[in-house]
mmCIF file of all heavy atoms in Angstrom:
data_model
loop_
_atom_site.group_PDB
_atom_site.id
_atom_site.type_symbol
_atom_site.label_atom_id
_atom_site.label_comp_id
_atom_site.label_asym_id
_atom_site.label_seq_id
_atom_site.Cartn_x
_atom_site.Cartn_y
_atom_site.Cartn_z
ATOM 1 N N LEU A 180 105.796 99.868 92.062
ATOM 2 C CA LEU A 180 105.289 99.310 90.806
ATOM 3 C C LEU A 180 106.160 98.131 90.448
ATOM 4 O O LEU A 180 107.393 98.248 90.430
ATOM 5 C CB LEU A 180 105.362 100.361 89.692
ATOM 6 C CG LEU A 180 104.607 101.652 89.998
ATOM 7 C CD1 LEU A 180 104.958 102.728 88.994
ATOM 8 C CD2 LEU A 180 103.119 101.397 90.007
ATOM 9 N N VAL A 181 105.528 96.988 90.195
ATOM 10 C CA VAL A 181 106.296 95.768 89.964
ATOM 11 C C VAL A 181 105.835 95.112 88.665
ATOM 12 O O VAL A 181 104.630 95.031 88.391
ATOM 13 C CB VAL A 181 106.170 94.819 91.180
ATOM 14 C CG1 VAL A 181 104.727 94.570 91.561
ATOM 15 C CG2 VAL A 181 106.885 93.505 90.955
ATOM 16 N N ASP A 182 106.784 94.703 87.863
ATOM 17 C CA ASP A 182 106.469 94.072 86.583
ATOM 18 C C ASP A 182 105.776 92.723 86.821
ATOM 19 O O ASP A 182 106.195 91.951 87.684
ATOM 20 C CB ASP A 182 107.774 93.856 85.803
ATOM 21 C CG ASP A 182 107.517 93.618 84.342
ATOM 22 O OD1 ASP A 182 106.476 94.078 83.839
ATOM 23 O OD2 ASP A 182 108.348 92.963 83.696
ATOM 24 N N LEU A 183 104.700 92.450 86.048
ATOM 25 C CA LEU A 183 103.955 91.191 86.196
ATOM 26 C C LEU A 183 103.872 90.487 84.847
ATOM 27 O O LEU A 183 102.808 90.462 84.221
ATOM 28 C CB LEU A 183 102.530 91.464 86.684
ATOM 29 C CG LEU A 183 102.318 92.019 88.083
ATOM 30 C CD1 LEU A 183 100.825 92.228 88.334
ATOM 31 C CD2 LEU A 183 102.899 91.072 89.126
ATOM 32 N N PRO A 184 104.966 89.903 84.375
ATOM 33 C CA PRO A 184 104.922 89.294 83.034
ATOM 34 C C PRO A 184 103.860 88.205 82.928
ATOM 35 O O PRO A 184 103.271 88.013 81.872
ATOM 36 C CB PRO A 184 106.340 88.735 82.853
ATOM 37 C CG PRO A 184 107.019 88.819 84.163
ATOM 38 C CD PRO A 184 106.281 89.797 85.013
ATOM 39 N N GLY A 185 103.557 87.499 84.039
ATOM 40 C CA GLY A 185 102.590 86.404 83.992
ATOM 41 C C GLY A 185 101.149 86.848 83.929
ATOM 42 O O GLY A 185 100.251 86.042 83.691
ATOM 43 N N GLU A 186 100.875 88.140 84.119
ATOM 44 C CA GLU A 186 99.490 88.634 84.184
ATOM 45 C C GLU A 186 98.990 89.175 82.853
ATOM 46 O O GLU A 186 97.861 89.613 82.745
ATOM 47 C CB GLU A 186 99.364 89.749 85.224
ATOM 48 C CG GLU A 186 99.162 89.254 86.626
ATOM 49 C CD GLU A 186 97.776 88.657 86.846
ATOM 50 O OE1 GLU A 186 96.837 88.974 86.099
ATOM 51 O OE2 GLU A 186 97.654 87.831 87.764
ATOM 52 N N VAL A 187 99.853 89.205 81.854
ATOM 53 C CA VAL A 187 99.445 89.769 80.570
ATOM 54 C C VAL A 187 98.382 88.872 79.950
ATOM 55 O O VAL A 187 98.517 87.661 79.946
ATOM 56 C CB VAL A 187 100.664 89.890 79.632
ATOM 57 C CG1 VAL A 187 100.251 90.423 78.281
ATOM 58 C CG2 VAL A 187 101.706 90.792 80.267
ATOM 59 N N GLY A 188 97.303 89.447 79.480
ATOM 60 C CA GLY A 188 96.247 88.634 78.877
ATOM 61 C C GLY A 188 95.179 89.509 78.290
ATOM 62 O O GLY A 188 95.380 90.704 78.100
ATOM 63 N N SER A 189 94.027 88.927 78.035
ATOM 64 C CA SER A 189 92.974 89.679 77.356
ATOM 65 C C SER A 189 92.081 90.428 78.345
ATOM 66 O O SER A 189 91.244 91.226 77.934
ATOM 67 C CB SER A 189 92.132 88.726 76.521
ATOM 68 O OG SER A 189 91.640 87.708 77.366
ATOM 69 N N ASP A 190 92.225 90.157 79.657
ATOM 70 C CA ASP A 190 91.388 90.818 80.646
ATOM 71 C C ASP A 190 91.612 92.327 80.593
ATOM 72 O O ASP A 190 92.742 92.793 80.694
ATOM 73 C CB ASP A 190 91.769 90.283 82.039
ATOM 74 C CG ASP A 190 90.749 90.690 83.083
ATOM 75 O OD1 ASP A 190 89.930 91.567 82.774
ATOM 76 O OD2 ASP A 190 90.784 90.113 84.181
ATOM 77 N N ARG A 191 90.543 93.101 80.435
ATOM 78 C CA ARG A 191 90.699 94.556 80.304
ATOM 79 C C ARG A 191 90.477 95.272 81.631
ATOM 80 O O ARG A 191 90.571 96.488 81.707
ATOM 81 C CB ARG A 191 89.708 95.101 79.264
ATOM 82 C CG ARG A 191 89.883 94.505 77.886
ATOM 83 C CD ARG A 191 91.129 95.013 77.193
ATOM 84 N NE ARG A 191 91.051 96.423 76.949
ATOM 85 C CZ ARG A 191 92.100 97.253 76.981
ATOM 86 N NH1 ARG A 191 93.282 96.776 77.274
ATOM 87 N NH2 ARG A 191 91.941 98.526 76.731
ATOM 88 N N LEU A 192 90.130 94.521 82.683
ATOM 89 C CA LEU A 192 89.858 95.159 83.973
ATOM 90 C C LEU A 192 91.163 95.416 84.716
ATOM 91 O O LEU A 192 92.058 94.589 84.731
ATOM 92 C CB LEU A 192 88.975 94.218 84.807
ATOM 93 C CG LEU A 192 88.685 94.651 86.247
ATOM 94 C CD1 LEU A 192 87.766 95.861 86.249
ATOM 95 C CD2 LEU A 192 88.049 93.498 87.021
ATOM 96 N N ASN A 193 91.257 96.606 85.311
ATOM 97 C CA ASN A 193 92.382 96.901 86.195
ATOM 98 C C ASN A 193 91.864 96.852 87.619
ATOM 99 O O ASN A 193 91.284 97.810 88.101
ATOM 100 C CB ASN A 193 92.960 98.293 85.892
ATOM 101 C CG ASN A 193 93.659 98.304 84.560
ATOM 102 O OD1 ASN A 193 94.382 97.384 84.228
ATOM 103 N ND2 ASN A 193 93.427 99.345 83.785
ATOM 104 N N PRO A 194 92.027 95.711 88.317
ATOM 105 C CA PRO A 194 91.450 95.575 89.655
ATOM 106 C C PRO A 194 92.336 96.195 90.724
ATOM 107 O O PRO A 194 93.562 96.135 90.644
ATOM 108 C CB PRO A 194 91.385 94.054 89.833
ATOM 109 C CG PRO A 194 92.482 93.522 88.966
ATOM 110 C CD PRO A 194 92.712 94.493 87.858
ATOM 111 N N MET A 195 91.698 96.800 91.712
ATOM 112 C CA MET A 195 92.403 97.378 92.869
ATOM 113 C C MET A 195 91.742 96.811 94.119
ATOM 114 O O MET A 195 90.523 96.942 94.298
ATOM 115 C CB MET A 195 92.261 98.911 92.885
ATOM 116 C CG MET A 195 92.809 99.604 91.662
ATOM 117 S SD MET A 195 94.596 99.602 91.560
ATOM 118 C CE MET A 195 94.809 99.577 89.773
ATOM 119 N N TYR A 196 92.526 96.184 94.970
ATOM 120 C CA TYR A 196 92.003 95.559 96.180
ATOM 121 C C TYR A 196 92.571 96.281 97.400
ATOM 122 O O TYR A 196 93.784 96.524 97.469
ATOM 123 C CB TYR A 196 92.397 94.080 96.206
ATOM 124 C CG TYR A 196 92.196 93.435 97.549
ATOM 125 C CD1 TYR A 196 90.913 93.217 98.054
ATOM 126 C CD2 TYR A 196 93.287 93.072 98.342
ATOM 127 C CE1 TYR A 196 90.725 92.655 99.308
ATOM 128 C CE2 TYR A 196 93.110 92.499 99.587
ATOM 129 C CZ TYR A 196 91.825 92.299 100.068
ATOM 130 O OH TYR A 196 91.641 91.759 101.309
ATOM 131 N N ASN A 197 91.699 96.632 98.336
ATOM 132 C CA ASN A 197 92.148 97.293 99.572
ATOM 133 C C ASN A 197 91.951 96.404 100.788
ATOM 134 O O ASN A 197 90.950 95.688 100.879
ATOM 135 C CB ASN A 197 91.338 98.574 99.838
ATOM 136 C CG ASN A 197 91.730 99.725 98.961
ATOM 137 O OD1 ASN A 197 90.940 100.153 98.114
ATOM 138 N ND2 ASN A 197 92.922 100.249 99.144
ATOM 139 N N TYR A 198 92.871 96.452 101.706
ATOM 140 C CA TYR A 198 92.603 96.093 103.093
ATOM 141 C C TYR A 198 93.204 97.221 103.919
ATOM 142 O O TYR A 198 93.955 98.061 103.371
ATOM 143 C CB TYR A 198 93.124 94.690 103.444
ATOM 144 C CG TYR A 198 94.614 94.466 103.393
ATOM 145 C CD1 TYR A 198 95.387 94.513 104.546
ATOM 146 C CD2 TYR A 198 95.261 94.155 102.188
ATOM 147 C CE1 TYR A 198 96.752 94.275 104.509
ATOM 148 C CE2 TYR A 198 96.622 93.928 102.152
ATOM 149 C CZ TYR A 198 97.367 93.984 103.317
ATOM 150 O OH TYR A 198 98.717 93.757 103.277
ATOM 151 N N PRO A 199 92.880 97.333 105.197
ATOM 152 C CA PRO A 199 93.213 98.576 105.904
ATOM 153 C C PRO A 199 94.669 99.021 105.742
ATOM 154 O O PRO A 199 95.603 98.273 106.023
ATOM 155 C CB PRO A 199 92.896 98.223 107.360
ATOM 156 C CG PRO A 199 91.751 97.277 107.242
ATOM 157 C CD PRO A 199 92.084 96.427 106.035
ATOM 158 N N GLY A 200 94.803 100.259 105.240
ATOM 159 C CA GLY A 200 96.130 100.848 105.074
ATOM 160 C C GLY A 200 96.924 100.290 103.915
ATOM 161 O O GLY A 200 98.109 100.619 103.782
ATOM 162 N N HIS A 201 96.306 99.475 103.057
ATOM 163 C CA HIS A 201 97.031 98.843 101.949
ATOM 164 C C HIS A 201 96.192 98.858 100.673
ATOM 165 O O HIS A 201 94.969 98.746 100.734
ATOM 166 C CB HIS A 201 97.364 97.381 102.268
ATOM 167 C CG HIS A 201 98.322 97.212 103.411
ATOM 168 N ND1 HIS A 201 97.959 97.443 104.711
ATOM 169 C CD2 HIS A 201 99.620 96.831 103.433
ATOM 170 C CE1 HIS A 201 99.005 97.217 105.506
ATOM 171 N NE2 HIS A 201 100.021 96.846 104.754
ATOM 172 N N LEU A 202 96.886 98.938 99.543
ATOM 173 C CA LEU A 202 96.263 98.740 98.237
ATOM 174 C C LEU A 202 97.152 97.810 97.422
ATOM 175 O O LEU A 202 98.379 97.966 97.415
ATOM 176 C CB LEU A 202 96.104 100.064 97.485
ATOM 177 C CG LEU A 202 95.599 99.909 96.030
ATOM 178 C CD1 LEU A 202 94.513 100.923 95.721
ATOM 179 C CD2 LEU A 202 96.733 100.023 95.023
ATOM 180 N N ALA A 203 96.515 96.818 96.788
ATOM 181 C CA ALA A 203 97.232 95.961 95.838
ATOM 182 C C ALA A 203 96.417 95.964 94.555
ATOM 183 O O ALA A 203 95.195 95.785 94.605
ATOM 184 C CB ALA A 203 97.361 94.540 96.392
ATOM 185 N N GLY A 204 97.050 96.206 93.443
ATOM 186 C CA GLY A 204 96.284 96.295 92.211
ATOM 187 C C GLY A 204 97.079 95.843 91.010
ATOM 188 O O GLY A 204 98.293 95.583 91.091
#
Side-chain angles (χ1 to χ4, degrees):
L180 303 168
V181 52
D182 198 26
L183 293 179
E186 276 289 338
V187 178
S189 56
D190 192 347
R191 300 288 296 146
L192 175 70
N193 290 317
M195 300 288 149
Y196 166 69
N197 284 113
Y198 65 98
H201 295 72
L202 173 135

